Amino acid sequence: MTTIVVVCKDGQVAIAADTQTTFSDEHKLLAGYDVFHDKIFRIGDSYLAIAGSAAHDLVLKSALKGLKSRDLGSRAGLFETFRKIHPKLKDHFFLRPEEDEEDPYESSQMMVLVANANGIFGVFPMREVYQFARYWAIGSGRKFAMGAMQVLYDSPLSAAQIAERAVQAACEFDASSSLPLTLYSISNDKDKHS
């Protein structure tokens, strides 16, 4: 339960997230109590953030760092990278890949947003990979963030400002998201996605 957003606009790519960890409907850990409250982490030239179990944070960081080769800068590269780590998630980190009996593939049990100079991407539980042209959000505050980004995208605000306001909107209304937020932005010199 979280709010994570990515925005690509006018040569800038931004990723932002709230800082609350929610353990159940009854327990939350706010940033002031959590030394490691930043949900966004960097691997090479990419920023990533995960929605799903809090356990995914250290697991995904370790699995990605353990790969001899990884490509986080394209749709195909992300697919291959997450395909390679799926067996590691099961064999080394004891992932339980079962979700719905009728699912066509095993689940990685996480949603990941990626931001880098090549654009903004989403990796979903069955390793579906999307490259987004403008913005996207995941987590329990997703609907509030998406609405805010829809309204703000064509305004004069930058990608970072839109991402910041989207997370703020989600934190205002979603019980599982809280401020402060963290935000990272990078230049998208190729400007392919604005």
Side-chain angles (χ1 to χ4, degrees), residues 2-193:
T2 187
T3 302
I4 303 165
V5 305
V6 287
V7 181
C8 185
K9 182 180 176 185
D10 297 334
Q12 184 185 55
V13 171
I15 184 169
D18 81 301
T19 52
Q20 176 179 318
T21 300
T22 307
F23 299 105
S24 68
D25 290 339
E26 300 176 8
H27 300 92
K28 66 182 179 180
L29 181 63
L30 299 175
Y33 297 95
D34 185 359
V35 173
F36 299 102
H37 61 267
D38 190 347
K39 297 177 182 179
I40 302 168
F41 62 95
R42 188 172 184 167
I43 299 282
D45 294 331
S46 297
Y47 290 96
L48 296 87
I50 309 159
S53 171
H56 293 322
D57 180 56
L58 289 173
V59 168
L60 185 59
K61 287 176 189 174
S62 180
L64 286 171
K65 286 180 182 176
L67 281 182
K68 291 179 182 170
S69 66
R70 62 181 177 263
D71 177 359
L72 306 176
S74 70
R75 184 172 180 245
L78 278 159
F79 172 77
E80 284 301 320
T81 298
F82 276 79
R83 185 189 62 77
K84 286 183 210 172
I85 67 168
H86 185 72
K88 293 179 185 302
L89 295 175
K90 291 184 346 179
D91 298 341
H92 300 287
F93 299 99
F94 312 106
L95 171 76
R96 296 181 61 194
E98 306 84 16
E99 275 193 25
D100 190 319
E101 187 176 292
E102 296 178 20
D103 284 342
Y105 302 101
E106 291 181 342
S107 173
S108 293
Q109 304 285 356
M110 64 181 84
M111 288 181 275
V112 182
L113 289 183
V114 181
N116 56 47
N118 294 321
I120 53 176
F121 304 87
V123 183
F124 294 88
M126 288 182 218
R127 289 151 309 283
E128 313 101 301
V129 181
Y130 296 93
Q131 184 168 8
F132 304 111
R134 299 168 60 150
Y135 53 82
W136 201 253
I138 58 175
S140 58
R142 173 186 182 279
K143 290 179 181 179
F144 302 112
M146 290 293 285
M149 290 185 289
Q150 171 64 28
V151 169
L152 296 172
Y153 192 81
D154 292 325
S155 75
L157 297 176
S158 69
Q161 291 169 321
I162 294 167
E164 179 178 27
R165 283 166 176 79
V167 173
Q168 289 170 337
C171 291
E172 184 74 20
F173 298 104
D174 179 49
S176 298
S177 300
S178 294
L179 297 173
L181 61 85
T182 56
L183 183 141
Y184 299 88
S185 64
I186 53 179
S187 174
N188 176 0
D189 294 331
K190 297 171 185 163
D191 200 26
K192 296 188 293 190
H193 311 289

